[in-house]
């Protein structure tokens, strides 16, 4: 990923990263939308200023499922988990470039 990420690793910065990557053509609109949906749901109880590198994605999935039983199928929860993990990896790669 060619885009430079700010040194801020907050939830708010994660969403700015998605927007910027889409604007720069690094994510197509559907990919960006999928990342936004996954992060929005799985990180709903994370403050905008919290460092997302410290979030355990598996725990975030379990918390979401416990708060909203039946809202997402197990397949959808797994897809959101993979998207959030991939997104965090993209952010990490970008911040090292």
């Amino acid at each position: 990923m060619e885009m430079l990420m700010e040194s801020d690793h907050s939830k708010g910065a994660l969403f700015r990263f998605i927007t910027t990557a889409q604007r720069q053509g690094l994510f197509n609109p559907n990919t960006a939308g999928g990342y936004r949906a996954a992060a929005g749901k799985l990180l709903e109880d994370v403050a905008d200023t919290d460092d997302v590198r410290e979030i355990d994605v598996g725990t975030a999935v379990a918390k979401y499922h416990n708060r909203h039983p039946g809202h997402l199928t197990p397949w959808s929860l797994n897809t959101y988990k993979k998207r959030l993990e991939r997104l965090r990896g993209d952010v990490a790669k970008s911040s090292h470039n």
Side-chain angles (χ1 to χ4, degrees):
M1 185 140 302
E2 299 288 325
M3 184 180 77
L4 285 177
M5 175 67 179
E6 56 195 80
S7 61
D8 180 6
H9 295 280
S10 67
K11 177 180 161 184
L14 186 76
F15 283 99
R16 289 191 299 275
F17 174 83
I18 296 168
T19 300
T20 301
Q22 181 182 350
R23 198 173 295 137
Q24 292 180 353
L26 300 173
F27 295 158
N28 71 46
N30 290 334
T31 299
Y35 281 158
R36 268 190 214 94
K41 290 199 183 301
L42 299 182
L43 302 177
E44 70 181 7
D45 67 337
V46 174
D48 283 344
T49 57
D50 286 354
D51 188 334
V52 295
R53 296 174 297 178
E54 304 298 319
I55 306 292
D56 179 277
V57 177
T59 300
V61 170
K63 284 182 179 180
Y64 179 84
H65 180 66
N66 290 338
R67 279 191 309 273
H68 307 286
H71 282 212
L72 293 174
T73 66
W75 185 87
S76 293
L77 283 168
N78 189 49
T79 298
Y80 278 22
K81 178 183 181 206
K82 288 178 183 177
R83 285 178 183 165
L84 185 56
E85 289 169 339
R86 192 175 320 126
L87 176 59
R88 289 190 340 166
D90 286 347
V91 168
K93 282 187 239 173
S94 178
S95 67
H96 287 112
N97 287 340

